[in-house]
Amino acid sequence: MRQKGGLNASVVLLSGAALWAVAPRTGSSFVAPPLGTSVGGRQLRGASTGRPRAGAGAVAADSQSASSLSSSSWRTAAGLAGALVLATSAATRSSRVARAVDWTGKSGSAQQVAVLDMDGKQIGEETLHFKTFSAETANYVVHHVYRIWYYMNLKPWPWFAQRQDMKNGRKPWKQKGSGRARHGSFASPLFGKVKTNKYPHGLDNKRLLKIRPSEHMRAMSTVLQSKWKKMKVIDGLEDWNEARMGKLLECLENWTGYVAGSRSVLLITRNGYGEALGSTCTFESYDNPLFLSGRHIPHLTMRRPRDIDIFEGCDGLHELLKARHVIMSREAFYDLAAKFGEKGWAWRSERTILVENLQKIVKDFPMNRAEELHFARRMPIGVDARIEWARARRSKMEDLGRGAALRPQDADRRGRAHRVGPGSTLEDGGFLDE
């Protein structure tokens, strides 16, 4: 569309320029070509045939004035057409740039999600406001991310035996004299035992496709935001303390409004997760009563907030797209909001998070750098001397520890020796000079 619009604009502008170039000028105004002349290889209508006409002078004067007026109207029309095309192309370009900027994503419109109790009665609301892709690109980008994820997690990978996977064996028949085509082995694809290289050969044919982490995170956040109509937040779900399937079936019917097992439901909690192992489950799963209650319910999937991620083994995007209803505990909702919200940690790098945490630690535990350097200079310079100094200090600390029960004053001195901050020094506790 972009090339087509640009081509049309070029054609209109060139047509306007042709109108200016074809019509001859006298001074600053256009003059119509005389009758009988040709423009662009075509003869003008009403061209004279060489015979004189009556009133030729008057007709020529009227024709010249009319041609001047028509040429002025052509010039005005060409200018207006060119201005219109330029304005249209500028508007198209600005909208295209705006769509390109929106592709990076923005915050979806805030939606209110109902908060229910264990009986299915609404007791409040929570605001769902996650970062999403723009409306123009969300469908395409989510499909693109899921297609790559599905391709890279496809197991088992299809495999067909090829000729190099088989033993050559003996020659089927002799080279000449049998009247049949020559063959060297029964391992040829012509005999049907193996396939050609057109068939998949396991991981040899698998391509390495990659997804940007930010794009994968934004896809899951977009799908979560789009599920707000079928999303419920349950207060007290983390306190599920008994493995009862009947109770969970009743609760799911109250929360979703449908018979449990008739629709795909995704249950997101901090503790209700386990791993099935055949007809049973793993040993660690027996510590989760919620998982034991729902592991035999059809179309029910249980995940943790940490599983809605991009790490290997996480199928968060697949489960979110498959689910018709999303049920989560209030604690899990807060975890996902801190992760995918406007200022969620999913949109910041590890380096940024580390620096912010270190800044908080510095504020909580202020340190006097000048005082630290002062006492560091008093330590021995050589390595052996420092080892002896450390042994002496260690033995002195052990003596203080053994005598703390008999000598309360030593215990108090030992405690003061470890309090080194802006208002105290190591010498106050006798850490260096005793």
Side-chain angles (χ1 to χ4, degrees):
M1 294 298 293
R2 194 184 319 174
Q3 296 178 356
K4 184 177 179 182
L7 181 60
N8 294 336
S10 302
V11 169
V12 174
L13 292 177
L14 290 175
S15 301
L19 290 175
W20 283 70
V22 167
R25 309 181 192 184
T26 301
S28 60
S29 61
F30 283 99
V31 178
L35 297 176
T37 59
S38 61
V39 178
R42 295 185 180 181
Q43 192 173 21
L44 297 179
R45 289 187 178 182
S48 64
T49 57
R51 296 190 298 269
R53 293 184 178 182
V59 173
D62 295 340
S63 176
Q64 183 175 0
S65 60
S67 300
S68 299
L69 293 176
S70 61
S71 62
S72 301
S73 63
W74 291 351
R75 180 177 58 183
T76 304
L80 291 177
L84 180 61
V85 170
L86 290 177
T88 305
S89 62
T92 305
R93 182 179 181 277
S94 62
S95 62
R96 186 167 62 247
V97 172
R99 287 195 300 269
V101 173
D102 289 344
W103 186 92
T104 57
K106 58 183 180 180
S107 296
S109 57
Q111 304 292 344
Q112 300 299 321
V113 179
V115 179
L116 310 179
D117 59 3
M118 298 299 294
D119 297 329
K121 298 180 181 179
Q122 184 172 352
I123 59 176
E125 289 183 346
E126 291 287 351
T127 302
L128 183 68
H129 194 196
F130 292 169
K131 274 194 172 183
T132 63
F133 291 112
S134 63
E136 293 82 2
T137 59
N139 191 15
Y140 163 74
V141 178
V142 171
H143 175 265
H144 172 72
V145 172
Y146 179 73
R147 181 179 58 84
I148 295 179
W149 177 87
Y150 182 82
Y151 177 83
M152 297 304 296
N153 290 273
L154 184 61
K155 295 179 181 179
W157 195 259
W159 182 88
F160 291 90
Q162 295 183 0
R163 182 162 185 168
Q164 64 267 20
D165 302 321
M166 304 290 291
K167 293 183 178 180
N168 289 330
R170 65 179 182 84
K171 188 176 176 66
W173 45 78
K174 62 181 182 179
Q175 186 79 356
K176 298 180 180 295
S178 63
R180 290 176 289 186
R182 53 193 176 187
H183 289 284
S185 173
F186 281 110
S188 172
L190 297 176
F191 292 98
K193 293 184 178 180
V194 297
K195 301 295 182 180
T196 63
N197 56 1
K198 301 298 182 181
Y199 288 79
H201 192 253
L203 298 180
D204 295 343
N205 301 109
K206 186 175 182 180
R207 296 176 296 167
L208 180 59
L209 303 180
K210 295 183 180 180
I211 312 173
R212 287 183 296 181
S214 60
E215 191 175 355
H216 197 169
M217 284 286 193
R218 191 67 62 88
M220 289 187 290
S221 179
T222 301
V223 176
L224 268 174
Q225 183 71 28
S226 67
K227 299 281 185 179
W228 67 273
K229 291 184 179 180
K230 297 296 184 180
M231 183 181 296
K232 297 294 186 297
V233 178
I234 310 301
D235 188 19
L237 185 58
E238 298 289 347
D239 301 330
W240 192 281
N241 54 7
E242 52 183 352
R244 292 182 54 188
M245 180 177 174
K247 180 180 178 181
L248 185 57
L249 288 172
E250 182 180 356
C251 290
L252 289 175
E253 186 174 353
N254 295 333
W255 296 337
T256 62
Y258 294 90
V259 178
S262 61
R263 289 196 170 192
S264 178
V265 178
L266 176 61
L267 189 64
I268 305 177
T269 58
R270 287 181 177 176
N271 301 321
Y273 178 76
E275 295 181 3
L277 188 63
S279 58
T280 60
C281 56
T282 58
F283 182 77
E284 294 79 7
S285 302
Y286 286 100
D287 296 332
N288 301 321
L290 184 60
F291 174 76
L292 296 178
S293 302
R295 65 192 180 105
H296 292 308
I297 299 178
H299 305 293
L300 176 63
T301 307
M302 287 175 279
R303 292 293 184 267
R304 298 165 294 183
R306 61 187 299 181
D307 298 325
I308 313 299
D309 214 305
I310 63 176
F311 299 112
E312 185 178 358
C314 296
D315 55 350
L317 182 60
H318 173 75
E319 296 298 338
L320 287 172
L321 289 171
K322 187 180 69 174
R324 298 289 298 275
H325 297 270
V326 179
I327 308 296
M328 62 179 69
S329 64
R330 207 160 194 170
E331 294 81 359
F333 178 82
Y334 293 149
D335 292 342
L336 293 177
K339 184 176 184 179
F340 297 118
E342 177 68 23
K343 297 182 179 179
W345 57 264
W347 321 124
R348 293 177 292 174
S349 62
E350 296 182 1
R351 177 70 179 179
T352 304
I353 297 175
L354 176 62
V355 171
E356 292 178 357
N357 292 335
L358 291 177
Q359 290 175 351
K360 293 179 181 179
I361 293 175
V362 169
K363 291 181 179 179
D364 295 339
F365 302 95
M367 302 179 66
N368 191 341
R369 186 62 176 171
E371 189 173 343
E372 290 183 356
L373 294 175
H374 171 68
F375 285 101
R377 294 190 185 99
R378 297 176 57 182
M379 293 180 61
I381 299 177
V383 178
D384 297 335
R386 290 190 178 187
I387 293 176
E388 294 297 330
W389 175 85
R391 289 176 180 173
R393 295 312 310 156
R394 189 179 298 110
S395 61
K396 187 173 293 187
M397 291 174 62
E398 292 175 355
D399 294 340
L400 290 174
R402 285 193 297 266
L406 300 177
R407 296 183 300 171
Q409 64 276 14
D410 292 341
D412 182 66
R413 294 171 64 186
R414 180 172 177 267
R416 286 188 291 112
H418 290 282
R419 291 196 299 269
V420 180
S424 62
T425 61
L426 293 175
E427 291 182 346
D428 295 339
F431 189 77
L432 290 174
D433 297 336
E434 287 187 0

